[in-house]
């Protein structure tokens, strides 16, 4: 905290802990009020730092938000390998907690509006929240194809991430409820696995 | 226009044309900047009316937005009946134009953030954009079940609207492109019909 309060030198370094704290506050605000309504004032006030510090360290709101997203650790899919596609999907869902899922859904809503008009934000969102999902799911799906569970040219293979994002976003829109493990497991069994013919 | 400019009487009536014009401007602003950033000032300026008029007629921003959504006519699905589920789906997509689809996707993004914290907006969105889809799709699906194309207890029947909303929202999020007819037709054939076992 001392590194931030009353800064007089340019480019003062924040401790990694303090930086993480700031990024968490930015993500919390994104979930609560969305990108548009997130102000540097609100970040400064919530983190008890000065606006001058924020601007000195990150230059602008888009940069700060992109760095906060970059800091957000996606859940690793690398070591899931149960021997069946359904087992892998259920293991992936099983290791997420409901709270984290609701947070990620809130994050998607918080920046959804901005993505079309803000290419940097869209790129950061893609790289940090979507690409890891694509990579992780890609491994799971590749093994399913190798085992002969899914045909290699099954058209639904191109839309697995679309189906999953749909589950996250539509749950709130249609049912007015947060996505949770129970919903995702039902959706996987009812939609994703049958679409893949598995 | 005369009914709006320089209003001195309370509860002056707008002509239906002028009201429609105001609602269209509100929907355009929702798509462009989202609910949070939409101000009564911006509505007044774009429609060349006074803020006093807007407040007198609608009371508040949430009411104005809800009425504008209510004015938004969903595409009717009532008279689609081609004799097959795939035929019906393709007919439904075929009668939408790409521009309208992109507008609806923008509208979903524009109010997605607000829906959790604003129950009135969520209710209006559900009643005006989602329920008609559910009703229309319900008829199409019921006939498919009656024809024996889809089993009556097929689990995916509960998630058809989720899959479709997913297609609209995820197209922009993942591919950075607007949803269009070509994408929706591929998605229907790759995901929705196989999930329904049709």
């Amino acid at each position: 905290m001392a590194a931030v309060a009353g800064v007089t030198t340019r480019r003062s370094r924040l401790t990694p802990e303090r930086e993480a704290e700031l990024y968490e506050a930015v993500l919390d605000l994104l979930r609560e009020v969305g990108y548009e309504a997130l102000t540097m004032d609100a970040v400064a006030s919530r983190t008890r730092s000065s606006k001058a510090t924020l601007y000195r360290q990150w230059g602008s709101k888009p940069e700060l938000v992109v760095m906060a997203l970059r800091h957000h650790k996606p859940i690793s899919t690398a070591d899931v390998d149960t021997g069946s596609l359904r087992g892998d999907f259920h293991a992936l869902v099983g290791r997420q907690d409901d709270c984290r899922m609701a947070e990620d859904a809130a994050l998607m809503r918080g920046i959804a509006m901005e993505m079309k008009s803000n290419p940097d934000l869209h790129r950061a969102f893609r790289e940090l929240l979507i690409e890891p999902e694509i990579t992780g799911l890609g491994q799971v799906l590749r093994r399913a194809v190798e085992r002969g569970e899914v045909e290699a040219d099954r058209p639904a293979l191109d839309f697995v991430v679309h189906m999953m994002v749909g589950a996250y976003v539509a749950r709130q829109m249609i049912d007015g409820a947060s996505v949770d493990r129970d919903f995702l497991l039902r959706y996987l069994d009812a939609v994703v696995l049958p679409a893949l013919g598995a």
Side-chain angles (χ1 to χ4, degrees), chain A:
Chain A
M1 195 80 81
V4 189
V7 186
T8 49
T9 53
R10 279 181 61 87
R11 301 188 180 284
S12 71
R13 303 291 293 233
L14 305 182
T15 63
E17 294 73 26
R18 179 59 180 156
E19 215 177 314
E21 214 176 292
L22 279 160
Y23 291 147
E24 278 308 318
V26 171
L27 295 177
D28 284 343
L29 281 166
L30 271 181
R31 293 177 189 116
E32 290 165 27
V33 303
Y35 182 88
E36 174 66 34
L38 181 146
T39 61
M40 293 298 248
D41 275 319
V43 176
S45 145
R46 179 161 305 190
T47 58
R48 272 161 293 154
S49 47
S50 78
K51 247 168 71 171
T53 305
L54 298 179
Y55 280 109
R56 194 177 305 112
Q57 289 285 133
W58 287 282
S60 71
K61 170 173 137 179
E63 286 177 41
L64 174 56
V65 169
V66 166
M67 291 303 290
L69 283 171
R70 207 176 289 271
H71 177 255
H72 185 72
K73 298 271 188 313
I75 287 155
S76 165
T77 54
D79 54 333
V80 167
D81 190 2
T82 65
S84 80
L85 182 58
R86 183 167 191 271
D88 283 1
F89 274 150
H90 279 240
L92 287 175
V93 171
R95 65 163 62 179
Q96 300 195 32
D97 62 67
D98 287 351
C99 180
R100 170 67 185 249
M101 277 188 265
E103 283 178 6
D104 280 351
L107 206 50
M108 287 185 206
R109 284 195 301 277
I111 60 178
M113 186 62 211
E114 210 57 30
M115 288 209 278
K116 197 170 179 180
S117 52
N118 191 329
D120 287 344
L121 195 65
H122 186 248
R123 197 174 312 117
F125 175 82
R126 244 201 87 95
E127 281 172 15
L128 305 164
L129 286 174
I130 299 292
E131 301 280 3
E133 290 289 327
I134 292 177
T135 306
L137 282 173
Q139 290 164 351
V140 164
L141 293 169
R142 196 173 326 112
R143 285 197 306 264
V145 170
E146 284 164 7
R147 281 190 304 262
E149 277 190 90
V150 177
E151 292 159 47
D153 57 354
R154 184 87 184 176
L157 282 168
D158 292 337
F159 298 105
V160 175
V161 181
H162 296 77
M163 289 187 250
M164 296 311 298
V165 168
Y168 271 78
V169 176
R171 178 67 170 159
Q172 185 77 46
M173 268 193 187
I174 297 172
D175 307 316
S178 287
V179 67
D180 58 20
R181 262 201 299 239
D182 176 59
F183 174 79
L184 273 191
L185 292 176
R186 284 192 294 127
Y187 188 82
L188 281 167
D189 286 340
V191 171
V192 184
L193 289 166
L196 289 167

